[in-house]
Amino acid sequence: MKALRLTGWKTEPELVEVPKPTPGPGQVVVKVGGAGACHSDLHLMHDFDDGMMPWQLPFTLGHENAGWVDAVGDGVTTVSEGDAVAVYGAWGCGKCERCRHGVENYCEDPAAAPVISGGGGLGLDGGMAEYLLVPSSRLLVRLPDGLDPATAAPLTDAGLTPYHAIRRSWPKMTPTSTVVVIGVGGLGHMALQLAKATTAAKIIAVDNRTEALDLAARMGADHTVMSDAAAADAIRDLTAGRGADVLLDFVGAEATIELSRAAARPLGDVTIVGIAGGSVPFSFFSQPYEVSMQTTYWGTRRELVELLELAARGCVHVETTRYSLDDALRAYHDLRDGDVRGRAVIVP
């Protein structure tokens, strides 16, 4: 079968022929119906040196995956051949307390996981191939009726990551509060819809691209603000001088983190989701009182179940640009150049 594999650090992946996987006890082979191309894959290709990650090369890219069960190993009873499924992407040990509660993104025994701090497409073979070997059936979620794998695939990360960030701040997203979404890209455009679908808060979208702000307005943002030196003042003007209750930074650069702090209301949440590598000094007076600042990583299996249901009911819409497996490398080039609308999805 064909697979897009990373064969060396700081190199581009190669489309090669590899054997079709066979499931062992407890394992499942999925016929891939969609695999999302994530911006973090570009970091894998271009930013990491040998030894920086605890992973062995080569491996197949693609950590946002969905498809149909092709074959099951001995002992698998929760899914059957032909079932449409999404793959939960954070592959933990399956035995620690966090994993037993479906919070494998924060596995507490990563050394016992199939791969340390990763999963399919992150140290192990992922879904940029015709078939994907999933190490345990617990990592599969049945797709609700009406949701096809190519649509579901990007939800497993580009949807799940913002859903987790939003869900943890739900108590502060009341009808009298304001949520700011910074960066209306692959994750940000999902966050905007999810906040709109699950809360009654006022939503302000911030970006430095006019087309991104136009998209935010079409998706229900109450206000849009250009990301520039006046953005914090603009947010305060739109909130009667109080600032925003929840700010979700899907960029993570120094400028956007500073914007979040400057525009936050006392008692507010600032969540940094983007991994642009920005950092800011932290002190008693560097942000309003009792502003909580946190990072998040991915989401839980239970949250993926909820998210897929929201998508199947039409509460959220994934903007996608689709590519064939033969064109998967071009998808990453387009992603690098900013030419992808929404999320790039490879459909073998």
Side-chain angles (χ1 to χ4, degrees), residues 35-314:
C38 182
H39 199 276
S40 61
D41 292 336
L42 296 177
H43 293 289
L44 290 182
M45 298 175 197
H46 304 300
D47 298 342
F48 295 164
D49 290 310
D50 187 29
M52 290 179 65
M53 299 299 294
W55 303 336
Q56 297 297 314
L57 296 172
F59 60 84
T60 303
L61 292 171
H63 58 267
E64 296 182 338
N65 305 305
W68 302 270
V69 174
D70 180 73
V72 300
D74 291 342
V76 174
T77 59
T78 55
V79 294
S80 303
E81 292 182 18
D83 288 347
V85 294
V87 182
Y88 177 63
W91 295 359
C93 71
K95 297 178 180 179
C96 71
E97 182 179 2
R98 292 282 166 82
C99 285
R100 291 198 309 271
H101 287 87
V103 191
E104 299 202 33
N105 50 320
Y106 299 137
C107 174
E108 295 183 309
D109 189 9
V115 61
I116 295 176
S117 301
L122 299 170
L124 291 179
D125 288 340
M128 297 268 176
E130 295 173 84
Y131 295 91
L132 165 66
L133 178 66
V134 180
S136 173
S137 59
R138 76 174 189 279
L139 300 169
L140 299 177
V141 175
R142 290 176 183 268
L143 294 186
D145 291 342
L147 191 62
D148 69 276
T151 300
L155 291 170
T156 62
D157 181 9
L160 181 58
T161 297
Y163 184 62
H164 175 73
I166 288 167
R167 202 179 190 281
R168 74 188 305 278
S169 291
W170 269 352
K172 297 182 181 180
M173 295 184 177
T174 67
T176 60
S177 67
T178 300
V179 177
V180 173
V181 174
I182 301 175
V184 190
L187 274 67
H189 91 283
M190 291 297 304
L192 194 155
Q193 295 177 75
L194 289 164
K196 198 75 175 177
T198 63
T199 80
K202 179 169 64 178
I203 300 173
I204 300 174
V206 179
D207 205 290
N208 59 4
R209 300 164 297 158
T210 301
E211 62 273 18
L213 295 179
D214 290 343
L215 174 63
R218 291 197 300 274
M219 290 190 163
D222 297 285
H223 302 283
T224 61
V225 170
M226 182 61 67
S227 183
D228 55 26
D233 289 337
I235 292 169
R236 291 201 169 274
D237 288 344
L238 291 169
T239 57
R242 294 188 299 267
D245 300 86
V246 177
L247 300 101
L248 305 167
D249 180 0
F250 291 97
V251 181
E254 180 178 337
T256 56
I257 299 172
E258 288 287 15
L259 169 60
S260 297
R261 294 204 301 188
R265 184 181 185 182
L267 298 172
D269 279 357
V270 172
T271 301
I272 302 165
V273 184
I275 56 173
S279 62
V280 294
F282 185 86
S283 69
F284 189 89
F285 296 110
S286 59
Q287 57 282 315
Y289 294 128
E290 292 197 44
V291 166
S292 297
M293 299 188 66
Q294 55 270 320
T295 59
T296 60
Y297 175 67
W298 226 323
T300 71
R301 186 187 186 281
R302 179 62 203 172
E303 289 166 345
L304 179 57
V305 173
E306 296 173 356
L307 175 60
L308 294 173
E309 183 63 28
L310 283 170
R313 289 161 50 190

